């Protein structure tokens, strides 16, 4: 675990391959089991791809926030200005860095930027509802479970290959003001 404070910046096009690798390492395959955010028991296949990450990097209403520690890309998240609220997604922390507070710092920086840059009154995100440990982590950071769900995109391999037939997303919300 590294105790050096991360440096935050906005991702650039050259970061896309490293960002894809980071997101994949945090959620899929054996490497993801080194951390606690793995979805390997729920999904196989990919978590994201270069096209999806590049779309965020180039979207004028979005930011891919990057955290670097000792010059290495160690965490990231997607932020989107959705007019009055911000959307938080594609959150990944390198498995070797999980559990030491880096995720909490990235989330705090994302909330600060959404509030200050866009005047967002709240942050919204969707989390696979079967990820109770992850939802509990967000709740401890002030997010509220809404009970509002949306279906998992079964049949669209861009989001992975489900190992279960009951996956869905739950909307979590936090007031930023």
């Amino acid at each position: 675990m590294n105790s050096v404070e991360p440096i935050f910046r906005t991702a650039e096009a050259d970061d896309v391959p490293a960002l894809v690798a980071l997101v994949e390492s945090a959620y899929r395959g054996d490497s993801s089991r080194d951390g606690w955010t793995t979805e390997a028991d729920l999904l196989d296949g990919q978590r994201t791809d270069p096209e999806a990450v590049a779309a965020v990097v180039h979207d004028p209403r979005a930011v891919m926030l990057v955290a670097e520690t000792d010059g290495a890309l160690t965490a990231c998240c997607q932020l989107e200005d959705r007019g009055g609220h911000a959307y938080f997604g594609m959150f990944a922390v390198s498995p070797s860095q999980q559990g030491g507070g880096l995720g909490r710092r990235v989330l705090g920086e994302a909330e600060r930027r959404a509030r200050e840059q866009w005047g967002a009154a709240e942050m919204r995100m969707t989390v696979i509802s079967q990820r109770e440990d992850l939802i509990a982590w967000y709740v401890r950071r002030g997010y509220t479970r809404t009970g509002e769900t949306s279906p998992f995109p079964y049949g669209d391999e861009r989001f992975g290959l489900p190992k279960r037939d009951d996956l869905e997303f739950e909307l979590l919300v936090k007031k930023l003001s």
Side-chain angles (χ1 to χ4, degrees), residues 6-166:
I7 295 170
F8 294 106
R9 65 176 177 82
T10 299
E12 299 172 358
D14 291 349
D15 295 315
V16 169
L19 289 166
V20 171
L22 173 64
V23 172
E24 292 297 314
S25 75
Y27 291 98
R28 299 287 197 276
D30 289 337
S31 68
S32 70
R33 295 182 191 280
D34 291 341
W36 68 273
T37 61
T38 184
E39 295 173 345
D41 294 331
L42 300 174
L43 296 151
D44 278 329
Q46 70 180 29
R47 176 65 156 72
T48 193
D49 57 36
E51 294 77 21
V53 174
V56 175
V57 169
H58 297 296
D59 184 341
R61 295 183 55 89
V63 171
M64 182 66 84
L65 180 64
V66 170
E68 289 182 336
T69 309
D70 286 336
L73 197 147
T74 52
C76 68
C77 69
Q78 164 193 9
L79 289 171
E80 282 184 31
D81 179 5
R82 294 195 175 170
H85 76 272
Y87 177 79
F88 178 83
M90 214 178 298
F91 184 30
V93 175
S94 172
S96 67
Q97 298 290 312
Q98 292 179 19
L102 178 58
R104 185 177 58 249
R105 289 191 292 279
V106 172
L107 183 60
E109 178 67 8
E111 292 169 354
R112 184 191 69 75
R113 287 184 181 215
R115 189 175 46 249
E116 291 180 10
Q117 291 180 1
W118 299 325
E122 67 181 22
M123 184 81 84
R124 297 181 186 177
M125 69 177 76
T126 55
V127 179
I128 295 175
S129 59
Q130 288 77 8
R131 296 290 320 277
E132 291 291 339
D133 54 343
L134 184 57
I135 291 171
W137 187 86
Y138 286 119
V139 168
R140 288 191 302 273
R141 276 139 197 91
Y143 286 80
T144 301
R145 297 184 79 161
T146 65
E148 183 180 324
T149 61
S150 56
F152 186 86
Y154 285 93
D156 188 340
E157 292 185 12
R158 292 177 302 158
F159 298 96
L161 303 169
K163 294 182 176 183
R164 302 170 50 157
D165 63 3
D166 64 342

